[in-house]
Amino acid sequence: MITRRDFLKIAAFSSLLGLGGAFTINALEKEPGQKVLKDIKALKGKRWAMVIDTRKFKTQEDFEKVIRACHKAHNVPEIANPLHEVKWIWTDDYEHSFAGTAEEYISTEVKERKFLLLCNHCDNAPCVRVCPVKATFKRPDGITMQDMHRCIGCKFCMAGCPYGARNYNFLPPRDYIKELNPEYPTRTIGVVEKCTFCNERIDRGLLPYCVEASEGKIIFGDLYDPNSEIRKVLSENIVIRRKVELGTQPMVFYII
Amino acid sequence: MYDGWKIILGLVVFVVIVTLPFTMSVGKTYVEPKPSIDTPEIQKMEKKQCIEPKQYMREMHIKLLYSWKDYATREGKRLYVASDGKTYTISLQNTCLKCHSNKEKFCDECHNYVNVKPYCWDCHIEPKVGGLK
Ligand code: SF4
Ligand code: SF4
């Protein structure tokens, strides 16, 4: 017979070894031979970044084409009420896009330009730091990702993000999607969503939708690769970023 | 026995509540769930087998899906090599449901039977009957 004292001893030791609480959800440890792999076609990068050539965006259609490509593919709902709207990529004017650093005496032409805005995939992302359930996290390649299954809708990340890149689903999103893309999920009411740098495409070796649709007006690449196109573009142009003074290290650059 | 009737009444109530799950199903006919694999995509297969053996899928499919989700979203690993060496794209919507395009007759059949309500379909788009829309 096992005494109470022995039982407690065993329990204490096994919890020390982490046996008692050992719980794994990983089903792939059960069968031999099962593996998960990265696609060999996947784009490889250490720090994905984006340069938007704002000089090349001229007509309304230039912007719309890019926004439509993203929103259609990702089943982003179209909600007119600005209190409830959801957007992954959108536009604003010079003064609001670069609040705090906008030069007052810059040319009128620049002042009147519109700027494409999206999640900056900040290297030092405040949204990641404040998420209490680690639903929002950084991938090793720098993408600020969000696990929708895990989001509890607390909205801390929305408060943490200084760029307004995050939107809460106040309304059931499916009611506001005209045409569903059957290959991508929607979101549900009560979660936060934003641009994902199209990681699902990068993992398959494709460039983000917006980059593709921009026809050369947006450059995407690995900031840590000195031979990449994005580094070449950055070395040849003067760029600005949004709210650098906050120390978030945004990864979206704007050629003025 | 003091207050004997109270104790007995309490016991009766207790027994009624505890046996409720059994008594409530008295008279209801037992219908065994029969998930159907009759979809165009599965009909095309020579050997009608899921990515892993049937028993494994029966027991583990939700855990497998959870692991898939973590590998895909957290680590960017989007290919699954099954124990028989075949490779599949990790995707509930684009891999599982491509074959199981009859969600109502497949997934729901058992889920309804055991009264579980997975919320997969709040976000993942279920196929229209007869294949992805
Ligand atoms: S822009 Fe906002 S949502 Fe995107 S990484 Fe930075 S803080 Fe997070
Ligand atoms: S990177 Fe992808 S998700 Fe982000 S704005 Fe561009 S198309 Fe949309």
Side-chain angles (χ1 to χ4, degrees), chain A residues 8-248:
Chain A
L8 287 177
K9 270 194 212 154
I10 295 167
F13 270 111
S14 56
S15 68
L16 247 177
L17 293 171
L19 294 174
F23 169 71
T24 171
I25 200 158
N26 194 342
L28 308 187
E29 282 162 7
K30 213 175 158 180
E31 294 284 295
Q34 287 173 305
K35 268 193 302 239
V36 275
L37 301 171
K38 279 198 177 162
D39 196 329
I40 42 163
K41 292 195 302 277
L43 302 183
K44 281 166 200 71
K46 291 201 173 64
R47 194 54 86 248
W48 294 119
M50 190 179 265
V51 176
I52 299 177
D53 194 340
T54 67
R55 299 167 303 187
K56 290 189 184 155
F57 282 90
K58 296 210 167 74
T59 63
Q60 185 62 19
E61 182 56 19
D62 288 345
F63 292 104
E64 301 255 310
K65 234 180 23 204
V66 169
I67 298 172
R68 224 182 302 127
C70 172
H71 286 190
K72 235 182 128 211
H74 294 120
N75 291 324
V76 178
E78 243 178 80
I79 301 170
N81 181 348
L83 283 177
H84 298 152
E85 79 177 340
V86 176
K87 54 203 178 356
W88 286 22
I89 179 165
W90 69 103
T91 59
D92 210 335
D93 57 24
Y94 177 68
E95 202 190 316
H96 290 100
S97 301
F98 301 97
T101 47
E103 294 295 339
E104 201 181 335
Y105 303 111
I106 205 161
S107 76
T108 350
E109 190 267 318
V110 172
K111 271 190 183 167
E112 279 166 6
R113 260 187 225 169
K114 280 212 284 182
F115 297 83
L116 267 183
L117 308 181
L118 67 156
C119 166
N120 289 282
H121 296 272
C122 310
D123 216 7
N124 182 17
C127 58
V128 172
R129 218 176 323 139
V130 297
C131 179
V133 294
K134 291 203 168 98
T136 286
F137 58 94
K138 292 297 279 186
R139 296 206 331 175
D141 57 6
I143 295 180
T144 304
M145 236 319 244
Q146 192 186 337
D147 182 345
M148 293 298 170
H149 306 76
R150 202 152 170 168
C151 176
I152 54 168
C154 71
K155 312 189 193 76
F156 282 14
C157 58
M158 295 172 69
C161 172
Y163 303 99
R166 290 179 163 271
N167 300 268
Y168 183 77
N169 280 288
F170 284 100
L171 302 170
R174 285 211 186 161
D175 296 354
Y176 298 89
I177 305 169
K178 279 197 203 97
E179 209 187 313
L180 283 176
N181 170 12
E183 287 185 0
Y184 198 81
T186 64
R187 267 67 55 198
T188 172
I189 190 168
V191 298
V192 174
E193 63 179 87
K194 66 163 191 75
C195 150
T196 64
F197 249 16
C198 287
N199 64 88
E200 82 281 7
R201 285 185 48 98
I202 291 172
D203 289 345
R204 278 163 48 212
L206 301 165
L207 285 172
Y209 286 112
C210 59
V211 176
E212 216 176 65
S214 78
E215 290 163 349
K217 301 182 195 70
I218 306 178
I219 299 102
F220 184 85
D222 184 3
L223 198 65
Y224 286 2
D225 173 6
N227 302 317
S228 61
E229 191 202 351
I230 195 166
R231 282 285 291 272
K232 187 164 171 275
V233 173
L234 284 173
S235 67
E236 288 168 356
N237 294 280
I238 306 262
V239 289
I240 55 173
R241 285 185 281 172
R242 301 181 66 200
K243 302 190 186 172
V244 267
E245 70 280 10
L246 298 176
T248 52

Side-chain angles (χ1 to χ4, degrees), chain A residues 75 174 180-187, chain B residues 91-109 111-112 118-133:
Chain A
N75 291 324
R174 285 211 186 161
L180 283 176
N181 170 12
E183 287 185 0
Y184 198 81
T186 64
R187 267 67 55 198
Chain B
S91 171
L92 170 68
Q93 211 170 301
N94 298 326
T95 301
C96 307
L97 293 183
K98 202 142 254 155
C99 283
H100 297 292
S101 51
N102 56 345
K103 176 191 162 266
E104 266 155 56
K105 296 216 173 70
F106 185 75
C107 314
D108 297 354
E109 187 77 11
H111 292 161
N112 289 342
Y119 45 79
C120 315
W121 324 108
D122 289 0
C123 295
H124 294 278
I125 301 172
E126 60 184 85
K128 290 266 161 354
V129 181
L132 275 179
K133 148 183 111 114

